[in-house]
Short mmCIF file of all heavy atoms in Angstrom, two decimals:
data_model
loop_
_atom_site.label_atom_id
_atom_site.label_comp_id
_atom_site.label_asym_id
_atom_site.label_seq_id
_atom_site.Cartn_x
_atom_site.Cartn_y
_atom_site.Cartn_z
N ASP A 1 0.81 -1.23 -0.05
CA ASP A 1 0.00 -0.03 0.00
C ASP A 1 0.90 1.23 -0.02
O ASP A 1 0.51 2.23 -0.68
CB ASP A 1 -0.89 0.08 1.26
CG ASP A 1 -2.00 -1.05 1.18
OD1 ASP A 1 -2.17 -1.61 0.06
OD2 ASP A 1 -2.67 -1.30 2.12
N LEU A 2 2.01 1.29 0.91
CA LEU A 2 2.89 2.29 0.92
C LEU A 2 3.55 2.60 -0.49
O LEU A 2 3.49 3.71 -1.11
CB LEU A 2 4.03 2.17 1.90
CG LEU A 2 3.68 2.14 3.38
CD1 LEU A 2 4.87 1.89 4.20
CD2 LEU A 2 3.03 3.52 3.80
N LEU A 3 3.87 1.48 -1.11
CA LEU A 3 4.49 1.59 -2.53
C LEU A 3 3.53 2.27 -3.51
O LEU A 3 3.87 3.12 -4.28
CB LEU A 3 4.86 0.25 -2.96
CG LEU A 3 5.41 0.10 -4.40
CD1 LEU A 3 6.90 0.67 -4.34
CD2 LEU A 3 5.54 -1.34 -4.86
N HIS A 4 2.33 1.70 -3.50
CA HIS A 4 1.28 2.31 -4.49
C HIS A 4 1.03 3.68 -4.16
O HIS A 4 0.71 4.54 -5.08
CB HIS A 4 0.02 1.40 -4.42
CG HIS A 4 0.25 -0.05 -5.02
ND1 HIS A 4 0.97 -0.12 -6.21
CD2 HIS A 4 -0.10 -1.20 -4.63
CE1 HIS A 4 0.88 -1.47 -6.45
NE2 HIS A 4 0.28 -2.10 -5.53
N HIS A 5 1.07 4.15 -2.95
CA HIS A 5 0.61 5.51 -2.67
C HIS A 5 1.99 6.48 -3.00
O HIS A 5 1.88 7.50 -3.62
CB HIS A 5 0.52 5.69 -1.11
CG HIS A 5 0.25 7.03 -0.63
ND1 HIS A 5 -0.93 7.74 -1.14
CD2 HIS A 5 1.03 7.93 0.08
CE1 HIS A 5 -0.82 9.09 -0.47
NE2 HIS A 5 0.32 9.22 0.12
N TYR A 6 3.17 6.04 -2.63
CA TYR A 6 4.31 7.00 -2.67
C TYR A 6 5.12 6.82 -3.92
O TYR A 6 5.82 7.91 -4.39
CB TYR A 6 5.19 6.80 -1.46
CG TYR A 6 4.75 7.21 -0.25
CD1 TYR A 6 4.29 6.35 0.72
CD2 TYR A 6 4.74 8.58 0.18
CE1 TYR A 6 3.82 6.76 1.94
CE2 TYR A 6 4.23 9.03 1.40
CZ TYR A 6 3.79 8.02 2.27
OH TYR A 6 3.32 8.56 3.45
N TYR A 7 5.13 5.69 -4.63
CA TYR A 7 6.16 5.56 -5.78
C TYR A 7 5.64 6.56 -6.95
O TYR A 7 6.43 7.22 -7.64
CB TYR A 7 6.15 4.08 -6.28
CG TYR A 7 6.85 3.98 -7.57
CD1 TYR A 7 8.32 4.12 -7.54
CD2 TYR A 7 6.25 3.54 -8.81
CE1 TYR A 7 9.02 3.98 -8.72
CE2 TYR A 7 7.08 3.39 -10.00
CZ TYR A 7 8.40 3.67 -9.87
OH TYR A 7 9.31 3.32 -11.02
N PRO A 8 4.33 6.64 -7.23
CA PRO A 8 3.94 7.59 -8.24
C PRO A 8 4.34 9.10 -7.94
O PRO A 8 4.71 9.82 -8.81
CB PRO A 8 2.26 7.55 -8.38
CG PRO A 8 2.03 6.11 -7.79
CD PRO A 8 3.14 5.85 -6.73
N ILE A 9 4.48 9.34 -6.70
CA ILE A 9 4.96 10.81 -6.19
C ILE A 9 6.48 10.76 -6.53
O ILE A 9 6.96 11.86 -7.01
CB ILE A 9 4.64 10.91 -4.66
CG1 ILE A 9 3.17 10.87 -4.43
CG2 ILE A 9 5.30 12.23 -4.27
CD1 ILE A 9 2.74 10.90 -2.93
N GLU A 10 7.13 9.74 -6.20
CA GLU A 10 8.60 9.71 -6.40
C GLU A 10 8.98 10.05 -7.82
O GLU A 10 9.98 10.79 -8.14
CB GLU A 10 9.16 8.39 -6.03
CG GLU A 10 10.70 8.39 -6.15
CD GLU A 10 11.30 6.90 -6.01
OE1 GLU A 10 10.56 6.06 -5.29
OE2 GLU A 10 12.26 6.61 -6.53
N ILE A 11 8.21 9.36 -8.86
CA ILE A 11 8.64 9.52 -10.21
C ILE A 11 7.76 10.57 -11.07
O ILE A 11 7.89 10.82 -12.14
CB ILE A 11 8.56 8.15 -11.01
CG1 ILE A 11 7.07 7.59 -10.99
CG2 ILE A 11 9.49 7.13 -10.38
CD1 ILE A 11 6.97 6.49 -12.00
N ASP A 12 6.92 11.42 -10.26
CA ASP A 12 5.99 12.35 -10.96
C ASP A 12 6.93 13.53 -11.48
O ASP A 12 7.49 14.35 -10.59
CB ASP A 12 5.02 12.90 -9.85
CG ASP A 12 3.97 13.82 -10.49
OD1 ASP A 12 4.26 14.34 -11.70
OD2 ASP A 12 3.04 14.19 -9.91
N PRO A 13 7.07 13.76 -12.82
CA PRO A 13 7.85 14.75 -13.34
C PRO A 13 7.25 16.12 -12.98
O PRO A 13 8.00 17.13 -13.14
CB PRO A 13 7.89 14.51 -14.85
CG PRO A 13 6.72 13.53 -15.20
CD PRO A 13 6.28 12.92 -13.93
N ASN A 14 6.01 16.26 -12.58
CA ASN A 14 5.50 17.58 -12.40
C ASN A 14 5.59 18.15 -10.94
O ASN A 14 5.17 19.15 -10.75
CB ASN A 14 4.02 17.57 -12.83
CG ASN A 14 3.88 17.13 -14.31
OD1 ASN A 14 4.65 17.63 -15.13
ND2 ASN A 14 3.06 16.08 -14.56
N ARG A 15 5.99 17.35 -10.07
CA ARG A 15 6.31 17.73 -8.66
C ARG A 15 7.59 18.23 -8.44
O ARG A 15 8.61 17.58 -8.99
CB ARG A 15 5.91 16.56 -7.63
CG ARG A 15 4.38 16.32 -7.53
CD ARG A 15 4.21 15.42 -6.31
NE ARG A 15 2.91 14.82 -6.36
CZ ARG A 15 2.16 14.77 -5.23
NH1 ARG A 15 2.74 15.34 -4.07
NH2 ARG A 15 0.89 14.36 -5.28
N THR A 16 7.81 19.18 -7.61
CA THR A 16 9.18 19.71 -7.30
C THR A 16 9.89 18.78 -6.17
O THR A 16 9.27 18.01 -5.51
CB THR A 16 9.11 21.10 -6.84
OG1 THR A 16 8.52 21.05 -5.40
CG2 THR A 16 8.43 22.13 -7.68
N LEU A 17 11.24 18.98 -6.26
CA LEU A 17 12.04 18.12 -5.23
C LEU A 17 11.47 18.53 -3.75
O LEU A 17 11.57 17.74 -2.92
CB LEU A 17 13.48 18.30 -5.42
CG LEU A 17 14.02 17.73 -6.66
CD1 LEU A 17 15.59 17.98 -6.69
CD2 LEU A 17 13.82 16.17 -6.67
N GLU A 18 11.25 19.90 -3.65
CA GLU A 18 10.90 20.39 -2.43
C GLU A 18 9.57 19.73 -1.93
O GLU A 18 9.46 19.30 -0.75
CB GLU A 18 10.61 21.86 -2.45
CG GLU A 18 11.84 22.74 -2.41
CD GLU A 18 12.83 22.49 -3.62
OE1 GLU A 18 12.32 22.37 -4.71
OE2 GLU A 18 14.01 22.32 -3.33
N GLU A 19 8.60 19.40 -2.80
CA GLU A 19 7.43 18.78 -2.43
C GLU A 19 7.52 17.21 -2.15
O GLU A 19 7.11 16.71 -1.25
CB GLU A 19 6.43 18.73 -3.61
CG GLU A 19 5.53 19.93 -3.89
CD GLU A 19 4.86 19.89 -5.26
OE1 GLU A 19 3.67 19.25 -5.13
OE2 GLU A 19 5.26 20.43 -6.21
N LYS A 20 8.61 16.67 -2.98
CA LYS A 20 8.82 15.20 -2.86
C LYS A 20 9.54 14.94 -1.64
O LYS A 20 9.43 13.77 -0.94
CB LYS A 20 9.59 14.75 -4.06
CG LYS A 20 8.75 14.75 -5.37
CD LYS A 20 9.67 14.13 -6.46
CE LYS A 20 8.89 14.28 -7.81
NZ LYS A 20 9.65 13.64 -8.91
N ARG A 21 10.63 15.64 -1.24
CA ARG A 21 11.50 15.21 -0.14
C ARG A 21 10.78 14.82 1.15
O ARG A 21 11.06 13.59 1.64
CB ARG A 21 12.48 16.32 0.16
CG ARG A 21 13.66 16.11 -0.61
CD ARG A 21 14.91 17.08 -0.23
NE ARG A 21 15.69 17.32 -1.42
CZ ARG A 21 15.76 18.51 -2.07
NH1 ARG A 21 14.95 19.40 -1.74
NH2 ARG A 21 16.55 18.63 -3.14
N PRO A 22 9.99 15.62 1.84
CA PRO A 22 9.29 15.25 2.98
C PRO A 22 8.40 13.87 2.82
O PRO A 22 8.32 13.15 3.71
CB PRO A 22 8.36 16.40 3.46
CG PRO A 22 8.28 17.33 2.25
CD PRO A 22 9.55 17.03 1.37
N LEU A 23 7.91 13.78 1.75
CA LEU A 23 6.99 12.64 1.44
C LEU A 23 7.82 11.33 1.31
O LEU A 23 7.43 10.28 1.75
CB LEU A 23 6.16 12.81 0.08
CG LEU A 23 5.11 13.95 0.31
CD1 LEU A 23 4.47 14.37 -1.02
CD2 LEU A 23 4.07 13.50 1.23
N MET A 24 9.05 11.49 0.80
CA MET A 24 9.95 10.33 0.66
C MET A 24 10.45 9.92 2.14
O MET A 24 10.61 8.77 2.47
CB MET A 24 11.22 10.63 -0.22
CG MET A 24 10.93 10.87 -1.64
SD MET A 24 10.20 9.46 -2.46
CE MET A 24 8.28 10.07 -2.66
N VAL A 25 10.79 10.96 2.94
CA VAL A 25 11.16 10.63 4.28
C VAL A 25 9.94 9.76 5.02
O VAL A 25 10.19 8.88 5.72
CB VAL A 25 11.42 11.97 5.09
CG1 VAL A 25 11.59 11.64 6.64
CG2 VAL A 25 12.72 12.50 4.50
N GLU A 26 8.83 10.36 4.72
CA GLU A 26 7.59 9.66 5.42
C GLU A 26 7.48 8.20 4.92
O GLU A 26 7.28 7.33 5.63
CB GLU A 26 6.43 10.51 4.77
CG GLU A 26 5.16 10.51 5.62
CD GLU A 26 4.16 11.30 5.16
OE1 GLU A 26 4.21 12.59 5.36
OE2 GLU A 26 3.27 10.85 4.29
N TRP A 27 7.73 7.97 3.73
CA TRP A 27 7.66 6.65 3.01
C TRP A 27 8.75 5.74 3.63
O TRP A 27 8.33 4.68 4.18
CB TRP A 27 7.74 6.77 1.36
CG TRP A 27 7.69 5.42 0.83
CD1 TRP A 27 7.28 4.22 1.37
CD2 TRP A 27 7.95 5.20 -0.60
NE1 TRP A 27 7.33 3.22 0.32
CE2 TRP A 27 7.78 3.80 -0.90
CE3 TRP A 27 8.43 5.99 -1.60
CZ2 TRP A 27 7.96 3.24 -2.14
CZ3 TRP A 27 8.62 5.51 -2.90
CH2 TRP A 27 8.54 4.03 -3.12
N TRP A 28 9.89 6.21 3.58
CA TRP A 28 10.98 5.25 3.99
C TRP A 28 10.75 4.95 5.58
O TRP A 28 11.00 3.78 6.01
CB TRP A 28 12.33 6.04 3.77
CG TRP A 28 13.07 5.46 2.59
CD1 TRP A 28 14.21 4.81 2.71
CD2 TRP A 28 12.82 5.75 1.22
NE1 TRP A 28 14.66 4.55 1.35
CE2 TRP A 28 13.81 5.12 0.53
CE3 TRP A 28 11.78 6.45 0.56
CZ2 TRP A 28 13.86 5.02 -0.95
CZ3 TRP A 28 11.82 6.40 -0.90
CH2 TRP A 28 12.86 5.78 -1.52
#
């Protein structure tokens, strides 16, 4: 479930790194 939620965010070309970073910390 975590993978399906966060992986699309990780590879989304339209989101900025600033947006992605806290979400990656959350996922890991």
Side-chain angles (χ1 to χ4, degrees):
D1 289 346
L2 290 179
L3 176 74
H4 290 314
H5 177 70
Y6 290 104
Y7 179 66
I9 297 171
E10 180 191 333
I11 65 168
D12 184 348
N14 304 312
R15 287 190 190 230
T16 65
L17 289 182
E18 283 59 46
E19 277 176 85
K20 289 180 182 187
R21 269 191 209 104
L23 295 166
M24 294 301 105
V25 171
E26 207 173 276
W27 179 12
W28 260 251

